C-alpha cells in the first residue's frame, strides 16, 4: 500500500515556482499556499532536499564527520504518534537539521543506505526520524510503502521543489495535481518549474494515461486553482 499523493504547488502563468522571481511582485500571493494546503485537508507532507535545506537550523554547525557508533540500516523513529509529519528526501544525508520538527510536524528523513553513521548519529541527536529506501539511489515507491506501513500515512501532500515533483511524476506515484496559477510571470530560461528533471532523466516520459479535471476555482486576485486526478500505468 502507498499513500494517496497530491502534488500541491503555486505557479506563475508560465509554470515557474520560485516566487521571488515573479513579476509583478505583488502577485506572489503571500499565504495562499498554506491556505490551500489546509483546504486540501493538511496532514503529512513531503519536500525534496533543496527545499528541506531551507528549513535547516544547523547550517553553521554541521554534523560531525565521524562517530564511534555503528547503526543498523533500518528505520528509526523518534515519534510515531504525530497527527502529521514533515518528510524530506535526503539521499546522501546532506542536511544537518538542528531541529526535530517543522511547524510542529516531526521531521522524517528518507535516506539511502550509503549515508554515514556520523550523519545518523546527528539525526538521532536532533530527534529526527529516518527511513531507508534504496542502496545508492532513492526508491520513491518503497519510501511511500514504508511511510504507510510504519507511520500509517494514507494521504501525502507532495510540495516540491520541482526536482522531487518530477521524480514522483516519472515514477507514476502522483494521484492528483493541485496547482494554483497566480497572475504573474517569471519569463526566465532555466527557472525552477512545477516538474523538473536532471540531464539523466530528461528524456524519461511520465507514465500518465489520463488527467481528469476534478475542480477549478477562481480565487481572489485572479488566482485560478486547478485540481486534476491522474491515472498512471
Amino acid at each position: 500500500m502507498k499513500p494517496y499523493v497530491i502534488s500541491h504547488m503555486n505557479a506563475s502563468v508560465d509554470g515557474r515556482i520560485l516566487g521571488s522571481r515573479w513579476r509583478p511582485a505583488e502577485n506572489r500571493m503571500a499565504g495562499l499556499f498554506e491556505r490551500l494546503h489546509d483546504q486540501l485537508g493538511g496532514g503529512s507532507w513531503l519536500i525534496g532536499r533543496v527545499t528541506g535545506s531551507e528549513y535547516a537550523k544547523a547550517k553553521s554547525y554541521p554534523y560531525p564527520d565521524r562517530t564511534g557508533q555503528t547503526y543498523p540500516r533500518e528505520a528509526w523513529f523518534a515519534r510515531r504518534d504525530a497527527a502529521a509529519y514533515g518528510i524530506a528526501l535526503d539521499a546522501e544525508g546532506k542536511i544537518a537539521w538542528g531541529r526535530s520538527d517543522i511547524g510542529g510536524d516531526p521531521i522524517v528523513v528518507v535516506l539511502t543506505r550509503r549515508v554515514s553513521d556520523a550523519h545518523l548519529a546527528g539525526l538521532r541527536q536532533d530527534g529526527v526520524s529516518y527511513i531507508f529506501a534504496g542502496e545508492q539511489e532513492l526508491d520513491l515507491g518503497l519510501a511511500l510503502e514504508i511511510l504507510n506501513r510504519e507511520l500509517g500515512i494514507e494521504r501525502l501532500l507532495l510540495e516540491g521543489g520541482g526536482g522531487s515533483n518530477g521524480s514522483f511524476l516519472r515514477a507514476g506515484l502522483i494521484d492528483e495535481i493541485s496547482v494554483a496559477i497566480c497572475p504573474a510571470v517569471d519569463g526566465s530560461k532555466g527557472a525552477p518549474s512545477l516538474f523538473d528533471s536532471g540531464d539523466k532523466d530528461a528524456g524519461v516520459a511520465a507514465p500518465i494515461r489520463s488527467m481528469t479535471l476534478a475542480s477549478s476555482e477562481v480565487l481572489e486576485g485572479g488566482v485560478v486553482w486547478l485540481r486534476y486526478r491522474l491515472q498512471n500505468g
Side-chain angles (χ1 to χ4, degrees), residues 15 17 20 39 41 43 45 50 54 59 64 66 76 84 103 114 142 159 163 203 212 215 225:
I17 60 175
S20 61
Q39 284 187 230
W45 45 276
V50 175
E54 298 174 3
K59 296 176 183 177
R66 57 184 60 86
W76 182 83
R114 60 175 165 159
L142 175 60
E159 297 183 334
T212 303
S215 66
W225 184 23

Side-chain angles (χ1 to χ4, degrees), residues 1 7 12 19 47 64 69 97 107 153 159 179 182:
M1 294 288 292
S7 174
S12 62
I47 53 178
Q69 297 291 323
W97 291 93
I107 300 168
I153 296 175
E159 297 183 334
V179 56
C182 300

Side-chain angles (χ1 to χ4, degrees), residues 8 62 65 100 106 113 129 146 150 174 203 225 233:
H8 171 55
D65 293 331
S100 62
R113 295 180 183 276
S129 302
I146 294 171
E150 297 289 345
I174 295 178
W225 184 23

